[in-house]
Amino acid sequence: MNQRSSASVESLRFTYPQWQLALKRVLDFLVALCLLVLISPFWLLIVLWIRSDSEGPAIFTQTRVGLEGKPYTIYKFRTMVRNADAMIKEKLEQVKDLEGFVFQEKDDPRITRSGRFLRKTSLDELPQLLNILIGNMSLVGPRPEVPEIAKLYTPEQRQRLNVLPGVTGLAQINGRSELTLGETMSYDLEYVRTWSFWLDLKILWQTVFVVFSGKGAY
């Protein structure tokens, strides 16, 4: 891709109906608030389990790249041993080929016993409800990327930053952790280009069945 075509792709922005964007924000806020109230007792049990299972804080924080490339702090229940983040960062810094890169390994020894269950059931994502209330994430959207990967994006791939990152998305209902980064990117770009409030509702509905099946989660 030459410089002229690259610039044209990078400058491409998708315009969405404002009333649909408003509905999306209302849905995000109400669902996140209701779920946080309902699961607050369960949240405490998860925290106690994580702390008893391995050393380190129960809540994992990490810098991710959000809307228009702005960094923010994401919240998750910790599923790996302490200091695993430093090991992951070293691995990410060596990535050159985004197409074939697989972010998560199925039998990663750094995952704790509680972490395997939390990942399988997607319960590790619950703290991201806080991100949704803050407004730097949505229920549905491309998964938030780490800066080490985002800096390698081509101009076309940067289009996935045109929308808020989400807890679930097209990639999560079509393979989840079994997808390569290239496959995930294709689903994310399709979402950005075809987004509507009704697409979000469809993805949320399908996510329920995917989560209960546990397929592709590790």
PDB file of all heavy atoms in Angstrom, residues 91-129:
ATOM      1  N   LYS A  91       7.088 -10.872  25.787  1.00  0.00           N
ATOM      2  CA  LYS A  91       6.663 -11.643  24.619  1.00  0.00           C
ATOM      3  C   LYS A  91       6.068 -10.736  23.557  1.00  0.00           C
ATOM      4  O   LYS A  91       6.350 -10.880  22.356  1.00  0.00           O
ATOM      5  CB  LYS A  91       5.648 -12.707  25.038  1.00  0.00           C
ATOM      6  CG  LYS A  91       5.067 -13.523  23.889  1.00  0.00           C
ATOM      7  CD  LYS A  91       4.030 -14.503  24.405  1.00  0.00           C
ATOM      8  CE  LYS A  91       3.411 -15.288  23.247  1.00  0.00           C
ATOM      9  NZ  LYS A  91       2.360 -16.234  23.713  1.00  0.00           N
ATOM     10  N   LEU A  92       5.258  -9.772  23.985  1.00  0.00           N
ATOM     11  CA  LEU A  92       4.589  -8.874  23.047  1.00  0.00           C
ATOM     12  C   LEU A  92       5.581  -7.983  22.311  1.00  0.00           C
ATOM     13  O   LEU A  92       5.376  -7.649  21.143  1.00  0.00           O
ATOM     14  CB  LEU A  92       3.568  -8.006  23.784  1.00  0.00           C
ATOM     15  CG  LEU A  92       2.329  -8.729  24.321  1.00  0.00           C
ATOM     16  CD1 LEU A  92       1.498  -7.790  25.179  1.00  0.00           C
ATOM     17  CD2 LEU A  92       1.489  -9.283  23.182  1.00  0.00           C
ATOM     18  N   GLU A  93       6.635  -7.590  22.992  1.00  0.00           N
ATOM     19  CA  GLU A  93       7.631  -6.708  22.382  1.00  0.00           C
ATOM     20  C   GLU A  93       8.392  -7.389  21.250  1.00  0.00           C
ATOM     21  O   GLU A  93       9.051  -6.730  20.452  1.00  0.00           O
ATOM     22  CB  GLU A  93       8.603  -6.209  23.450  1.00  0.00           C
ATOM     23  CG  GLU A  93       7.965  -5.199  24.418  1.00  0.00           C
ATOM     24  CD  GLU A  93       8.890  -4.791  25.537  1.00  0.00           C
ATOM     25  OE1 GLU A  93       9.919  -5.482  25.726  1.00  0.00           O
ATOM     26  OE2 GLU A  93       8.586  -3.785  26.223  1.00  0.00           O
ATOM     27  N   GLN A  94       8.292  -8.710  21.178  1.00  0.00           N
ATOM     28  CA  GLN A  94       8.990  -9.462  20.142  1.00  0.00           C
ATOM     29  C   GLN A  94       8.089  -9.802  18.955  1.00  0.00           C
ATOM     30  O   GLN A  94       8.525 -10.401  17.988  1.00  0.00           O
ATOM     31  CB  GLN A  94       9.566 -10.758  20.732  1.00  0.00           C
ATOM     32  CG  GLN A  94      10.580 -10.525  21.845  1.00  0.00           C
ATOM     33  CD  GLN A  94      11.013 -11.818  22.532  1.00  0.00           C
ATOM     34  OE1 GLN A  94      10.568 -12.899  22.166  1.00  0.00           O
ATOM     35  NE2 GLN A  94      11.876 -11.698  23.522  1.00  0.00           N
ATOM     36  N   VAL A  95       6.821  -9.399  19.030  1.00  0.00           N
ATOM     37  CA  VAL A  95       5.865  -9.704  17.965  1.00  0.00           C
ATOM     38  C   VAL A  95       6.166  -8.882  16.719  1.00  0.00           C
ATOM     39  O   VAL A  95       6.332  -7.665  16.795  1.00  0.00           O
ATOM     40  CB  VAL A  95       4.416  -9.431  18.428  1.00  0.00           C
ATOM     41  CG1 VAL A  95       3.446  -9.649  17.277  1.00  0.00           C
ATOM     42  CG2 VAL A  95       4.065 -10.339  19.586  1.00  0.00           C
ATOM     43  N   LYS A  96       6.235  -9.561  15.586  1.00  0.00           N
ATOM     44  CA  LYS A  96       6.448  -8.887  14.304  1.00  0.00           C
ATOM     45  C   LYS A  96       5.291  -9.157  13.344  1.00  0.00           C
ATOM     46  O   LYS A  96       4.910  -8.302  12.561  1.00  0.00           O
ATOM     47  CB  LYS A  96       7.756  -9.374  13.676  1.00  0.00           C
ATOM     48  CG  LYS A  96       8.996  -9.143  14.545  1.00  0.00           C
ATOM     49  CD  LYS A  96       9.239  -7.669  14.826  1.00  0.00           C
ATOM     50  CE  LYS A  96      10.494  -7.473  15.680  1.00  0.00           C
ATOM     51  NZ  LYS A  96      10.702  -6.049  16.037  1.00  0.00           N
ATOM     52  N   ASP A  97       4.746 -10.377  13.417  1.00  0.00           N
ATOM     53  CA  ASP A  97       3.678 -10.774  12.509  1.00  0.00           C
ATOM     54  C   ASP A  97       2.354 -10.799  13.256  1.00  0.00           C
ATOM     55  O   ASP A  97       2.089 -11.701  14.052  1.00  0.00           O
ATOM     56  CB  ASP A  97       3.983 -12.158  11.927  1.00  0.00           C
ATOM     57  CG  ASP A  97       2.847 -12.688  11.055  1.00  0.00           C
ATOM     58  OD1 ASP A  97       2.083 -11.856  10.520  1.00  0.00           O
ATOM     59  OD2 ASP A  97       2.723 -13.920  10.920  1.00  0.00           O
ATOM     60  N   LEU A  98       1.506  -9.812  13.011  1.00  0.00           N
ATOM     61  CA  LEU A  98       0.227  -9.738  13.698  1.00  0.00           C
ATOM     62  C   LEU A  98      -0.761 -10.785  13.195  1.00  0.00           C
ATOM     63  O   LEU A  98      -1.630 -11.233  13.940  1.00  0.00           O
ATOM     64  CB  LEU A  98      -0.391  -8.345  13.532  1.00  0.00           C
ATOM     65  CG  LEU A  98       0.323  -7.175  14.206  1.00  0.00           C
ATOM     66  CD1 LEU A  98      -0.493  -5.907  14.044  1.00  0.00           C
ATOM     67  CD2 LEU A  98       0.580  -7.457  15.673  1.00  0.00           C
ATOM     68  N   GLU A  99      -0.637 -11.182  11.942  1.00  0.00           N
ATOM     69  CA  GLU A  99      -1.625 -12.073  11.345  1.00  0.00           C
ATOM     70  C   GLU A  99      -1.696 -13.426  12.042  1.00  0.00           C
ATOM     71  O   GLU A  99      -2.761 -13.939  12.345  1.00  0.00           O
ATOM     72  CB  GLU A  99      -1.319 -12.280   9.855  1.00  0.00           C
ATOM     73  CG  GLU A  99      -1.629 -11.078   8.984  1.00  0.00           C
ATOM     74  CD  GLU A  99      -3.111 -10.708   9.008  1.00  0.00           C
ATOM     75  OE1 GLU A  99      -3.947 -11.627   8.932  1.00  0.00           O
ATOM     76  OE2 GLU A  99      -3.420  -9.518   9.111  1.00  0.00           O
ATOM     77  N   GLY A 100      -0.543 -14.024  12.318  1.00  0.00           N
ATOM     78  CA  GLY A 100      -0.543 -15.368  12.874  1.00  0.00           C
ATOM     79  C   GLY A 100      -0.355 -15.436  14.371  1.00  0.00           C
ATOM     80  O   GLY A 100      -0.326 -16.532  14.956  1.00  0.00           O
ATOM     81  N   PHE A 101      -0.240 -14.289  15.034  1.00  0.00           N
ATOM     82  CA  PHE A 101       0.033 -14.281  16.477  1.00  0.00           C
ATOM     83  C   PHE A 101      -1.189 -14.727  17.265  1.00  0.00           C
ATOM     84  O   PHE A 101      -2.304 -14.301  17.007  1.00  0.00           O
ATOM     85  CB  PHE A 101       0.452 -12.875  16.911  1.00  0.00           C
ATOM     86  CG  PHE A 101       0.713 -12.749  18.394  1.00  0.00           C
ATOM     87  CD1 PHE A 101       1.809 -13.370  18.959  1.00  0.00           C
ATOM     88  CD2 PHE A 101      -0.140 -12.029  19.208  1.00  0.00           C
ATOM     89  CE1 PHE A 101       2.062 -13.260  20.319  1.00  0.00           C
ATOM     90  CE2 PHE A 101       0.096 -11.910  20.566  1.00  0.00           C
ATOM     91  CZ  PHE A 101       1.195 -12.529  21.124  1.00  0.00           C
ATOM     92  N   VAL A 102      -0.977 -15.632  18.233  1.00  0.00           N
ATOM     93  CA  VAL A 102      -2.032 -16.090  19.136  1.00  0.00           C
ATOM     94  C   VAL A 102      -1.708 -15.560  20.515  1.00  0.00           C
ATOM     95  O   VAL A 102      -0.660 -15.878  21.085  1.00  0.00           O
ATOM     96  CB  VAL A 102      -2.139 -17.629  19.165  1.00  0.00           C
ATOM     97  CG1 VAL A 102      -3.211 -18.064  20.165  1.00  0.00           C
ATOM     98  CG2 VAL A 102      -2.467 -18.166  17.776  1.00  0.00           C
ATOM     99  N   PHE A 103      -2.626 -14.747  21.071  1.00  0.00           N
ATOM    100  CA  PHE A 103      -2.341 -14.045  22.317  1.00  0.00           C
ATOM    101  C   PHE A 103      -2.312 -14.985  23.516  1.00  0.00           C
ATOM    102  O   PHE A 103      -1.470 -14.876  24.385  1.00  0.00           O
ATOM    103  CB  PHE A 103      -3.397 -12.955  22.536  1.00  0.00           C
ATOM    104  CG  PHE A 103      -3.021 -11.958  23.589  1.00  0.00           C
ATOM    105  CD1 PHE A 103      -2.222 -10.861  23.270  1.00  0.00           C
ATOM    106  CD2 PHE A 103      -3.437 -12.108  24.903  1.00  0.00           C
ATOM    107  CE1 PHE A 103      -1.868  -9.936  24.240  1.00  0.00           C
ATOM    108  CE2 PHE A 103      -3.087 -11.187  25.880  1.00  0.00           C
ATOM    109  CZ  PHE A 103      -2.303 -10.107  25.544  1.00  0.00           C
ATOM    110  N   GLN A 104      -3.251 -15.934  23.571  1.00  0.00           N
ATOM    111  CA  GLN A 104      -3.362 -16.811  24.724  1.00  0.00           C
ATOM    112  C   GLN A 104      -3.026 -18.247  24.352  1.00  0.00           C
ATOM    113  O   GLN A 104      -3.475 -18.750  23.321  1.00  0.00           O
ATOM    114  CB  GLN A 104      -4.777 -16.756  25.314  1.00  0.00           C
ATOM    115  CG  GLN A 104      -5.158 -15.390  25.854  1.00  0.00           C
ATOM    116  CD  GLN A 104      -6.570 -15.383  26.419  1.00  0.00           C
ATOM    117  OE1 GLN A 104      -7.270 -16.368  26.388  1.00  0.00           O
ATOM    118  NE2 GLN A 104      -6.989 -14.241  26.920  1.00  0.00           N
ATOM    119  N   GLU A 105      -2.231 -18.899  25.196  1.00  0.00           N
ATOM    120  CA  GLU A 105      -1.899 -20.298  25.002  1.00  0.00           C
ATOM    121  C   GLU A 105      -2.856 -21.155  25.821  1.00  0.00           C
ATOM    122  O   GLU A 105      -3.177 -20.839  26.959  1.00  0.00           O
ATOM    123  CB  GLU A 105      -0.456 -20.564  25.439  1.00  0.00           C
ATOM    124  CG  GLU A 105       0.567 -19.761  24.637  1.00  0.00           C
ATOM    125  CD  GLU A 105       1.982 -19.963  25.148  1.00  0.00           C
ATOM    126  OE1 GLU A 105       2.174 -20.867  26.003  1.00  0.00           O
ATOM    127  OE2 GLU A 105       2.876 -19.247  24.709  1.00  0.00           O
ATOM    128  N   LYS A 106      -3.276 -22.291  25.233  1.00  0.00           N
ATOM    129  CA  LYS A 106      -4.291 -23.126  25.866  1.00  0.00           C
ATOM    130  C   LYS A 106      -3.829 -23.686  27.207  1.00  0.00           C
ATOM    131  O   LYS A 106      -4.618 -23.778  28.149  1.00  0.00           O
ATOM    132  CB  LYS A 106      -4.681 -24.257  24.916  1.00  0.00           C
ATOM    133  CG  LYS A 106      -5.901 -25.036  25.378  1.00  0.00           C
ATOM    134  CD  LYS A 106      -6.375 -25.984  24.317  1.00  0.00           C
ATOM    135  CE  LYS A 106      -7.660 -26.682  24.729  1.00  0.00           C
ATOM    136  NZ  LYS A 106      -8.175 -27.588  23.679  1.00  0.00           N
ATOM    137  N   ASP A 107      -2.578 -24.095  27.296  1.00  0.00           N
ATOM    138  CA  ASP A 107      -2.064 -24.708  28.526  1.00  0.00           C
ATOM    139  C   ASP A 107      -0.996 -23.826  29.170  1.00  0.00           C
ATOM    140  O   ASP A 107       0.060 -24.311  29.585  1.00  0.00           O
ATOM    141  CB  ASP A 107      -1.497 -26.099  28.225  1.00  0.00           C
ATOM    142  CG  ASP A 107      -2.566 -27.050  27.698  1.00  0.00           C
ATOM    143  OD1 ASP A 107      -3.643 -27.096  28.316  1.00  0.00           O
ATOM    144  OD2 ASP A 107      -2.319 -27.718  26.685  1.00  0.00           O
ATOM    145  N   ASP A 108      -1.251 -22.543  29.246  1.00  0.00           N
ATOM    146  CA  ASP A 108      -0.302 -21.593  29.822  1.00  0.00           C
ATOM    147  C   ASP A 108      -0.091 -21.910  31.307  1.00  0.00           C
ATOM    148  O   ASP A 108      -1.037 -21.853  32.096  1.00  0.00           O
ATOM    149  CB  ASP A 108      -0.840 -20.168  29.665  1.00  0.00           C
ATOM    150  CG  ASP A 108       0.233 -19.116  29.890  1.00  0.00           C
ATOM    151  OD1 ASP A 108       1.116 -19.351  30.739  1.00  0.00           O
ATOM    152  OD2 ASP A 108       0.166 -18.068  29.225  1.00  0.00           O
ATOM    153  N   PRO A 109       1.148 -22.255  31.711  1.00  0.00           N
ATOM    154  CA  PRO A 109       1.407 -22.612  33.114  1.00  0.00           C
ATOM    155  C   PRO A 109       1.276 -21.438  34.079  1.00  0.00           C
ATOM    156  O   PRO A 109       1.240 -21.643  35.298  1.00  0.00           O
ATOM    157  CB  PRO A 109       2.847 -23.137  33.074  1.00  0.00           C
ATOM    158  CG  PRO A 109       3.465 -22.450  31.886  1.00  0.00           C
ATOM    159  CD  PRO A 109       2.357 -22.343  30.880  1.00  0.00           C
ATOM    160  N   ARG A 110       1.199 -20.215  33.566  1.00  0.00           N
ATOM    161  CA  ARG A 110       1.079 -19.050  34.437  1.00  0.00           C
ATOM    162  C   ARG A 110      -0.339 -18.835  34.948  1.00  0.00           C
ATOM    163  O   ARG A 110      -0.560 -18.069  35.878  1.00  0.00           O
ATOM    164  CB  ARG A 110       1.550 -17.802  33.679  1.00  0.00           C
ATOM    165  CG  ARG A 110       3.016 -17.825  33.289  1.00  0.00           C
ATOM    166  CD  ARG A 110       3.347 -16.728  32.287  1.00  0.00           C
ATOM    167  NE  ARG A 110       2.598 -16.907  31.044  1.00  0.00           N
ATOM    168  CZ  ARG A 110       2.738 -16.131  29.970  1.00  0.00           C
ATOM    169  NH1 ARG A 110       3.600 -15.131  29.995  1.00  0.00           N
ATOM    170  NH2 ARG A 110       2.030 -16.354  28.874  1.00  0.00           N
ATOM    171  N   ILE A 111      -1.311 -19.535  34.362  1.00  0.00           N
ATOM    172  CA  ILE A 111      -2.697 -19.390  34.786  1.00  0.00           C
ATOM    173  C   ILE A 111      -2.914 -20.167  36.084  1.00  0.00           C
ATOM    174  O   ILE A 111      -2.528 -21.326  36.200  1.00  0.00           O
ATOM    175  CB  ILE A 111      -3.664 -19.893  33.699  1.00  0.00           C
ATOM    176  CG1 ILE A 111      -3.448 -19.116  32.392  1.00  0.00           C
ATOM    177  CG2 ILE A 111      -5.112 -19.738  34.156  1.00  0.00           C
ATOM    178  CD1 ILE A 111      -4.310 -19.595  31.245  1.00  0.00           C
ATOM    179  N   THR A 112      -3.534 -19.540  37.048  1.00  0.00           N
ATOM    180  CA  THR A 112      -3.786 -20.166  38.348  1.00  0.00           C
ATOM    181  C   THR A 112      -4.996 -21.111  38.267  1.00  0.00           C
ATOM    182  O   THR A 112      -5.725 -21.118  37.270  1.00  0.00           O
ATOM    183  CB  THR A 112      -4.055 -19.106  39.419  1.00  0.00           C
ATOM    184  OG1 THR A 112      -5.235 -18.368  39.055  1.00  0.00           O
ATOM    185  CG2 THR A 112      -2.876 -18.141  39.537  1.00  0.00           C
ATOM    186  N   ARG A 113      -5.212 -21.898  39.335  1.00  0.00           N
ATOM    187  CA  ARG A 113      -6.358 -22.806  39.360  1.00  0.00           C
ATOM    188  C   ARG A 113      -7.671 -22.031  39.311  1.00  0.00           C
ATOM    189  O   ARG A 113      -8.579 -22.367  38.545  1.00  0.00           O
ATOM    190  CB  ARG A 113      -6.302 -23.676  40.624  1.00  0.00           C
ATOM    191  CG  ARG A 113      -5.223 -24.746  40.604  1.00  0.00           C
ATOM    192  CD  ARG A 113      -5.154 -25.461  41.933  1.00  0.00           C
ATOM    193  NE  ARG A 113      -4.800 -24.535  43.009  1.00  0.00           N
ATOM    194  CZ  ARG A 113      -4.738 -24.870  44.298  1.00  0.00           C
ATOM    195  NH1 ARG A 113      -5.023 -26.109  44.674  1.00  0.00           N
ATOM    196  NH2 ARG A 113      -4.401 -23.983  45.215  1.00  0.00           N
ATOM    197  N   SER A 114      -7.758 -20.988  40.126  1.00  0.00           N
ATOM    198  CA  SER A 114      -8.967 -20.166  40.089  1.00  0.00           C
ATOM    199  C   SER A 114      -9.083 -19.445  38.748  1.00  0.00           C
ATOM    200  O   SER A 114     -10.181 -19.253  38.219  1.00  0.00           O
ATOM    201  CB  SER A 114      -8.951 -19.151  41.232  1.00  0.00           C
ATOM    202  OG  SER A 114      -7.807 -18.302  41.149  1.00  0.00           O
ATOM    203  N   GLY A 115      -7.935 -19.066  38.197  1.00  0.00           N
ATOM    204  CA  GLY A 115      -7.926 -18.353  36.929  1.00  0.00           C
ATOM    205  C   GLY A 115      -8.488 -19.167  35.778  1.00  0.00           C
ATOM    206  O   GLY A 115      -9.166 -18.629  34.893  1.00  0.00           O
ATOM    207  N   ARG A 116      -8.232 -20.459  35.770  1.00  0.00           N
ATOM    208  CA  ARG A 116      -8.753 -21.314  34.696  1.00  0.00           C
ATOM    209  C   ARG A 116     -10.279 -21.344  34.719  1.00  0.00           C
ATOM    210  O   ARG A 116     -10.932 -21.279  33.672  1.00  0.00           O
ATOM    211  CB  ARG A 116      -8.193 -22.728  34.825  1.00  0.00           C
ATOM    212  CG  ARG A 116      -6.706 -22.812  34.533  1.00  0.00           C
ATOM    213  CD  ARG A 116      -6.217 -24.209  34.275  1.00  0.00           C
ATOM    214  NE  ARG A 116      -4.783 -24.208  34.035  1.00  0.00           N
ATOM    215  CZ  ARG A 116      -4.200 -23.864  32.900  1.00  0.00           C
ATOM    216  NH1 ARG A 116      -4.953 -23.502  31.875  1.00  0.00           N
ATOM    217  NH2 ARG A 116      -2.893 -23.879  32.770  1.00  0.00           N
ATOM    218  N   PHE A 117     -10.836 -21.427  35.919  1.00  0.00           N
ATOM    219  CA  PHE A 117     -12.297 -21.424  36.030  1.00  0.00           C
ATOM    220  C   PHE A 117     -12.863 -20.065  35.638  1.00  0.00           C
ATOM    221  O   PHE A 117     -13.863 -19.977  34.910  1.00  0.00           O
ATOM    222  CB  PHE A 117     -12.718 -21.765  37.462  1.00  0.00           C
ATOM    223  CG  PHE A 117     -14.199 -21.686  37.685  1.00  0.00           C
ATOM    224  CD1 PHE A 117     -15.023 -22.731  37.303  1.00  0.00           C
ATOM    225  CD2 PHE A 117     -14.777 -20.555  38.250  1.00  0.00           C
ATOM    226  CE1 PHE A 117     -16.406 -22.659  37.502  1.00  0.00           C
ATOM    227  CE2 PHE A 117     -16.148 -20.470  38.452  1.00  0.00           C
ATOM    228  CZ  PHE A 117     -16.963 -21.528  38.071  1.00  0.00           C
ATOM    229  N   LEU A 118     -12.234 -18.994  36.105  1.00  0.00           N
ATOM    230  CA  LEU A 118     -12.728 -17.649  35.805  1.00  0.00           C
ATOM    231  C   LEU A 118     -12.676 -17.361  34.311  1.00  0.00           C
ATOM    232  O   LEU A 118     -13.577 -16.728  33.752  1.00  0.00           O
ATOM    233  CB  LEU A 118     -11.902 -16.610  36.575  1.00  0.00           C
ATOM    234  CG  LEU A 118     -12.055 -16.632  38.094  1.00  0.00           C
ATOM    235  CD1 LEU A 118     -11.080 -15.666  38.744  1.00  0.00           C
ATOM    236  CD2 LEU A 118     -13.486 -16.294  38.499  1.00  0.00           C
ATOM    237  N   ARG A 119     -11.633 -17.837  33.644  1.00  0.00           N
ATOM    238  CA  ARG A 119     -11.531 -17.632  32.194  1.00  0.00           C
ATOM    239  C   ARG A 119     -12.559 -18.475  31.452  1.00  0.00           C
ATOM    240  O   ARG A 119     -13.159 -18.013  30.478  1.00  0.00           O
ATOM    241  CB  ARG A 119     -10.126 -17.978  31.716  1.00  0.00           C
ATOM    242  CG  ARG A 119      -9.071 -16.955  32.107  1.00  0.00           C
ATOM    243  CD  ARG A 119      -7.762 -17.242  31.433  1.00  0.00           C
ATOM    244  NE  ARG A 119      -6.781 -16.210  31.715  1.00  0.00           N
ATOM    245  CZ  ARG A 119      -5.761 -15.913  30.915  1.00  0.00           C
ATOM    246  NH1 ARG A 119      -5.584 -16.577  29.800  1.00  0.00           N
ATOM    247  NH2 ARG A 119      -4.904 -14.965  31.243  1.00  0.00           N
ATOM    248  N   LYS A 120     -12.709 -19.712  31.870  1.00  0.00           N
ATOM    249  CA  LYS A 120     -13.646 -20.615  31.198  1.00  0.00           C
ATOM    250  C   LYS A 120     -15.062 -20.077  31.258  1.00  0.00           C
ATOM    251  O   LYS A 120     -15.854 -20.222  30.314  1.00  0.00           O
ATOM    252  CB  LYS A 120     -13.581 -21.997  31.866  1.00  0.00           C
ATOM    253  CG  LYS A 120     -14.320 -23.093  31.109  1.00  0.00           C
ATOM    254  CD  LYS A 120     -13.582 -23.454  29.826  1.00  0.00           C
ATOM    255  CE  LYS A 120     -14.233 -24.635  29.126  1.00  0.00           C
ATOM    256  NZ  LYS A 120     -13.558 -24.959  27.848  1.00  0.00           N
ATOM    257  N   THR A 121     -15.410 -19.448  32.359  1.00  0.00           N
ATOM    258  CA  THR A 121     -16.760 -18.911  32.553  1.00  0.00           C
ATOM    259  C   THR A 121     -16.868 -17.424  32.219  1.00  0.00           C
ATOM    260  O   THR A 121     -17.953 -16.840  32.334  1.00  0.00           O
ATOM    261  CB  THR A 121     -17.197 -19.118  34.015  1.00  0.00           C
ATOM    262  OG1 THR A 121     -16.236 -18.491  34.880  1.00  0.00           O
ATOM    263  CG2 THR A 121     -17.274 -20.603  34.350  1.00  0.00           C
ATOM    264  N   SER A 122     -15.736 -16.815  31.836  1.00  0.00           N
ATOM    265  CA  SER A 122     -15.663 -15.378  31.520  1.00  0.00           C
ATOM    266  C   SER A 122     -15.938 -14.492  32.723  1.00  0.00           C
ATOM    267  O   SER A 122     -16.171 -13.291  32.569  1.00  0.00           O
ATOM    268  CB  SER A 122     -16.640 -15.011  30.379  1.00  0.00           C
ATOM    269  OG  SER A 122     -16.291 -15.678  29.190  1.00  0.00           O
ATOM    270  N   LEU A 123     -15.880 -15.051  33.925  1.00  0.00           N
ATOM    271  CA  LEU A 123     -16.104 -14.249  35.129  1.00  0.00           C
ATOM    272  C   LEU A 123     -14.955 -13.280  35.388  1.00  0.00           C
ATOM    273  O   LEU A 123     -15.127 -12.293  36.117  1.00  0.00           O
ATOM    274  CB  LEU A 123     -16.284 -15.168  36.347  1.00  0.00           C
ATOM    275  CG  LEU A 123     -17.576 -15.989  36.375  1.00  0.00           C
ATOM    276  CD1 LEU A 123     -17.565 -16.968  37.553  1.00  0.00           C
ATOM    277  CD2 LEU A 123     -18.795 -15.076  36.449  1.00  0.00           C
ATOM    278  N   ASP A 124     -13.795 -13.552  34.799  1.00  0.00           N
ATOM    279  CA  ASP A 124     -12.663 -12.643  34.978  1.00  0.00           C
ATOM    280  C   ASP A 124     -12.924 -11.274  34.362  1.00  0.00           C
ATOM    281  O   ASP A 124     -12.256 -10.296  34.680  1.00  0.00           O
ATOM    282  CB  ASP A 124     -11.385 -13.244  34.387  1.00  0.00           C
ATOM    283  CG  ASP A 124     -11.499 -13.507  32.891  1.00  0.00           C
ATOM    284  OD1 ASP A 124     -12.531 -14.032  32.451  1.00  0.00           O
ATOM    285  OD2 ASP A 124     -10.539 -13.188  32.159  1.00  0.00           O
ATOM    286  N   GLU A 125     -13.921 -11.198  33.478  1.00  0.00           N
ATOM    287  CA  GLU A 125     -14.235  -9.939  32.802  1.00  0.00           C
ATOM    288  C   GLU A 125     -15.156  -9.026  33.616  1.00  0.00           C
ATOM    289  O   GLU A 125     -15.349  -7.867  33.261  1.00  0.00           O
ATOM    290  CB  GLU A 125     -14.916 -10.226  31.449  1.00  0.00           C
ATOM    291  CG  GLU A 125     -14.225 -11.249  30.573  1.00  0.00           C
ATOM    292  CD  GLU A 125     -13.002 -10.704  29.871  1.00  0.00           C
ATOM    293  OE1 GLU A 125     -12.677  -9.519  30.081  1.00  0.00           O
ATOM    294  OE2 GLU A 125     -12.368 -11.453  29.114  1.00  0.00           O
ATOM    295  N   LEU A 126     -15.721  -9.528  34.698  1.00  0.00           N
ATOM    296  CA  LEU A 126     -16.721  -8.759  35.445  1.00  0.00           C
ATOM    297  C   LEU A 126     -16.256  -7.364  35.880  1.00  0.00           C
ATOM    298  O   LEU A 126     -17.039  -6.412  35.817  1.00  0.00           O
ATOM    299  CB  LEU A 126     -17.192  -9.550  36.671  1.00  0.00           C
ATOM    300  CG  LEU A 126     -18.092 -10.754  36.381  1.00  0.00           C
ATOM    301  CD1 LEU A 126     -18.472 -11.455  37.678  1.00  0.00           C
ATOM    302  CD2 LEU A 126     -19.350 -10.323  35.629  1.00  0.00           C
ATOM    303  N   PRO A 127     -15.004  -7.195  36.351  1.00  0.00           N
ATOM    304  CA  PRO A 127     -14.583  -5.843  36.752  1.00  0.00           C
ATOM    305  C   PRO A 127     -14.626  -4.811  35.626  1.00  0.00           C
ATOM    306  O   PRO A 127     -14.591  -3.614  35.888  1.00  0.00           O
ATOM    307  CB  PRO A 127     -13.147  -6.060  37.249  1.00  0.00           C
ATOM    308  CG  PRO A 127     -13.144  -7.461  37.748  1.00  0.00           C
ATOM    309  CD  PRO A 127     -14.004  -8.205  36.756  1.00  0.00           C
ATOM    310  N   GLN A 128     -14.704  -5.278  34.375  1.00  0.00           N
ATOM    311  CA  GLN A 128     -14.796  -4.324  33.267  1.00  0.00           C
ATOM    312  C   GLN A 128     -16.134  -3.595  33.255  1.00  0.00           C
ATOM    313  O   GLN A 128     -16.309  -2.623  32.514  1.00  0.00           O
ATOM    314  CB  GLN A 128     -14.567  -5.057  31.937  1.00  0.00           C
ATOM    315  CG  GLN A 128     -13.121  -5.490  31.765  1.00  0.00           C
ATOM    316  CD  GLN A 128     -12.922  -6.436  30.599  1.00  0.00           C
ATOM    317  OE1 GLN A 128     -13.448  -6.215  29.503  1.00  0.00           O
ATOM    318  NE2 GLN A 128     -12.153  -7.488  30.830  1.00  0.00           N
ATOM    319  N   LEU A 129     -17.065  -4.040  34.084  1.00  0.00           N
ATOM    320  CA  LEU A 129     -18.305  -3.275  34.253  1.00  0.00           C
ATOM    321  C   LEU A 129     -17.988  -1.880  34.783  1.00  0.00           C
ATOM    322  O   LEU A 129     -18.700  -0.913  34.480  1.00  0.00           O
ATOM    323  CB  LEU A 129     -19.248  -4.006  35.213  1.00  0.00           C
ATOM    324  CG  LEU A 129     -19.803  -5.349  34.729  1.00  0.00           C
ATOM    325  CD1 LEU A 129     -20.565  -6.051  35.854  1.00  0.00           C
ATOM    326  CD2 LEU A 129     -20.700  -5.158  33.512  1.00  0.00           C
TER     327      LEU A 129
END
